[in-house]
Amino acid sequence: AVDLIAAPPKIELVKGENRIDVVIAGELFTSYLYGDNMPKPLLVPVRTPSGVEVNRRHPLTEIKGGSTDHEHHVGIFFAVDMVNGVKFCNNKSLSPQIRHKEIIEVEGGAGTGKLSAISHWIDEKKQVLLEEKRTMLFIAAEYENEYAIDLSIDLTAKCPRVVFEDIEEGMLAIRVSDYLRESDQIGRA
């Protein structure tokens, strides 16, 4: 008998300048972008196994006919408004900032790749409010032709008091490509 189960695709994590590309079976799946010049780390673009981009890249990259509202909505990001009265989700400038500090783990493999990083949530007075440890597990199913991202995020207070206000802006944000928007009632894949 011949075993027809395919081997899981190879996932590589390729370091670049202020980025780590997640490459599955030789094709870019997503990139973890970070740097002192960014308001917060993010994953962008995110692609399906067939290569279709499913999230918006504005203002990093302009796409003809693409929306230009809410410039803080880029790719996939993790942030919260308001933390001690500071808007980390809606930030478009470098103060306040969720500043990437270091990569602590990068590991590729068959069907999975793992990336862990530390970031600091810094307010307008340059005080570190939180330390974020983020672990991203990238998964490519063996024969299902599916990709997944599993995020685990730990936040540790770095000042005596940290208060998360109860508002609508925050946590995990995924800004989809315009053609997937439901508001026009013409979403299509």
Side-chain angles (χ1 to χ4, degrees):
V2 176
D3 187 7
L4 298 178
I5 296 176
K10 181 180 179 183
I11 299 181
E12 299 172 275
L13 284 83
V14 181
K15 293 181 185 181
E17 185 175 340
N18 294 326
R19 69 186 299 133
I20 297 182
D21 294 333
V22 179
V23 177
I24 301 178
E27 299 292 330
L28 180 67
F29 167 49
T30 190
S31 295
Y32 174 70
L33 303 182
Y34 57 90
D36 291 344
N37 64 339
M38 295 184 65
K40 54 191 157 273
L42 47 95
L43 293 168
V44 67
V46 177
R47 295 184 171 139
T48 66
S50 64
V52 176
E53 286 190 24
V54 295
N55 65 347
R56 184 175 89 157
R57 291 195 275 161
H58 173 79
L60 297 176
T61 302
E62 298 301 326
I63 297 175
K64 186 177 179 180
S67 61
T68 58
D69 64 333
H70 297 90
E71 290 189 1
H72 61 285
H73 288 181
V74 183
I76 297 176
F77 64 91
F78 179 80
V80 177
D81 272 358
M82 305 272 258
V83 179
N84 287 8
V86 178
K87 292 185 170 200
F88 285 100
C89 187
N90 286 328
N91 65 330
K92 294 177 270 193
S93 65
L94 300 181
S95 183
Q97 181 182 31
I98 301 173
R99 184 179 300 149
H100 169 87
K101 296 306 285 184
E102 68 178 305
I103 299 293
I104 55 175
E105 184 175 9
V106 177
E107 181 181 332
T112 61
K114 186 177 185 180
L115 173 60
S116 297
I118 300 286
S119 294
H120 286 167
W121 294 41
I122 304 169
D123 69 11
E124 294 95 339
K125 298 174 187 170
K126 307 297 182 207
Q127 178 182 12
V128 177
L129 303 180
L130 296 165
E131 180 174 271
E132 171 189 313
K133 180 181 180 195
R134 175 188 308 206
T135 298
M136 297 166 277
L137 186 63
F138 303 98
I139 304 162
E142 294 179 33
Y143 46 86
E144 297 292 327
N145 203 25
E146 295 176 351
Y147 295 164
I149 303 170
D150 185 357
L151 295 172
S152 175
I153 298 174
D154 294 323
L155 297 174
T156 303
K158 290 299 186 179
C159 63
R161 179 179 160 100
V162 175
V163 176
F164 290 83
E165 294 180 30
D166 184 15
I167 66 169
E168 68 181 27
E169 297 286 339
M171 297 315 253
L172 184 64
I174 303 171
R175 179 66 186 251
V176 297
S177 295
D178 289 337
Y179 70 89
L180 292 172
R181 291 177 66 178
E182 186 177 289
S183 63
D184 299 334
Q185 297 180 354
I186 58 169
R188 61 191 185 284

